[in-house]
Amino acid sequence: MQAMQKVALPEKFAAFHDHWSPRIVGELNGQHVKLVKFQGDFVWHHHDHEDELFLVVQGAFRMDYLDDAGAPRHLDLNTGEFVIVPRGVEHRPSAAEEVQVLLFEPAGTLNTGNLRTTQTVDQPQSL
Amino acid sequence: MQAMQKVALPEKFAAFHDHWSPRIVGELNGQHVKLVKFQGDFVWHHHDHEDELFLVVQGAFRMDYLDDAGAPRHLDLNTGEFVIVPRGVEHRPSAAEEVQVLLFEPAGTLNTGNLRTTQTVDQPQSL
């Protein structure tokens, strides 16, 4: 095995400043733990094969999504709250102010899901 | 899909009081998100097939483990820090005072791994 090390979230979040660009900070069971900062609006998208967890480490953001009937809904998430977006669900995170978010999702999950945009990050860096 | 709901960690942690008994609060991609409170010493054990993530939500705990050479090592984890224990690694969490921990691991992971003890929880409850 690789050496076991602990990961301190505050230290990792202090190490990058851009928005919408997830950094990989852990891998287990084929899943990645990523950290990302949101500010502003992301693009509407979905993931065909991956469920995604968003945990707010510090701050707040809004998750817009479409329900089964295609109707617009949203959740407001604050520090210490998470949501799981199931595969196939159209969604869009947005944040009025910068927010620190932890993601759990399968390794290889593309941040923009089914879309390719200027916000797409093909090869997230490890941090 | 089931309705999307957010999960508030403080509310969930306030809803149970026993130690070493993980509650399931989320499922995605065949993985479970669990919450658990530690106090005192757990049993040394390992998981043959599962990597486990331990994130400290509030408090502190110590993770003892054996390195590749079988030598005893430990990490002290505080609020906002996590560690991933790879499959096969013998480990034992312990906490001088009660600590709130979030676990991320494959669905079906047994808390005592390769052992069956009085601390084994066969069917973790959902919360």
Side-chain angles (χ1 to χ4, degrees):
Chain A
M1 69 170 186
Q2 297 182 311
M4 262 174 59
Q5 296 184 325
K6 67 178 183 178
V7 174
L9 299 183
E11 184 181 303
K12 294 294 187 185
F13 276 115
F16 68 99
H17 303 285
D18 50 348
H19 299 138
W20 308 114
S21 181
R23 302 312 203 266
I24 299 168
V25 294
E27 179 161 9
L28 71 165
N29 308 300
Q31 314 293 307
H32 274 159
V33 183
K34 296 175 182 168
L35 303 182
V36 62
K37 293 180 177 180
F38 295 161
Q39 189 168 11
D41 292 333
F42 202 55
V43 62
W44 279 95
H45 68 285
H46 68 269
H47 304 270
D48 285 323
H49 304 293
E50 298 101 353
D51 311 321
E52 273 191 308
L53 181 148
F54 298 75
L55 169 65
V56 181
V57 177
Q58 192 174 305
F61 78 98
R62 172 182 169 123
M63 183 67 82
D64 284 287
Y65 67 98
L66 301 184
D67 70 13
D68 283 349
R73 308 233 173 226
H74 77 273
L75 291 169
D76 289 307
L77 288 109
N78 301 296
T79 301
E81 298 180 340
F82 74 79
V83 65
I84 294 171
V85 179
R87 61 195 68 187
V89 174
E90 204 70 27
H91 62 284
R92 181 190 66 170
S94 60
E97 298 183 14
E98 185 178 271
V99 57
Q100 300 180 351
V101 177
L102 182 150
L103 306 174
F104 281 132
E105 56 190 24
T109 302
L110 196 65
N111 65 331
T112 54
N114 59 311
L115 298 183
R116 299 198 68 82
T117 75
T118 55
Q119 290 175 312
T120 299
V121 178
D122 280 297
Q123 300 283 347
Q125 298 169 26
S126 290
L127 191 66
Chain B
M1 69 167 186
Q2 296 181 313
M4 261 174 58
Q5 296 183 327
K6 67 178 183 179
V7 174
L9 299 184
E11 185 181 304
K12 295 293 187 186
F13 276 116
F16 68 98
H17 303 285
D18 49 348
H19 300 137
W20 309 114
S21 181
R23 302 313 204 265
I24 299 168
V25 294
E27 180 160 7
L28 69 165
N29 308 301
Q31 315 292 307
H32 274 160
V33 183
K34 295 175 183 169
L35 303 183
V36 62
K37 293 180 177 179
F38 294 161
Q39 189 167 11
D41 293 333
F42 201 55
V43 62
W44 279 95
H45 68 284
H46 68 270
H47 304 271
D48 285 325
H49 305 294
E50 298 101 354
D51 311 321
E52 273 191 307
L53 181 147
F54 297 76
L55 169 65
V56 182
V57 176
Q58 192 173 305
F61 79 97
R62 171 181 168 125
M63 184 66 84
D64 285 286
Y65 67 99
L66 302 184
D67 70 13
D68 284 349
R73 307 231 175 229
H74 77 273
L75 291 169
D76 290 308
L77 288 112
N78 301 297
T79 300
E81 298 180 341
F82 75 78
V83 64
I84 293 171
V85 179
R87 59 197 70 186
V89 174
E90 204 70 28
H91 61 285
R92 182 190 66 171
S94 59
E97 300 182 12
E98 186 178 89
V99 56
Q100 299 180 351
V101 177
L102 182 152
L103 305 174
F104 189 54
E105 58 191 21
T109 302
L110 196 64
N111 64 333
T112 53
N114 60 310
L115 296 185
R116 299 198 69 81
T117 75
T118 55
Q119 291 176 312
T120 300
V121 177
D122 280 299
Q123 301 283 347
Q125 300 169 27
S126 290
L127 190 67

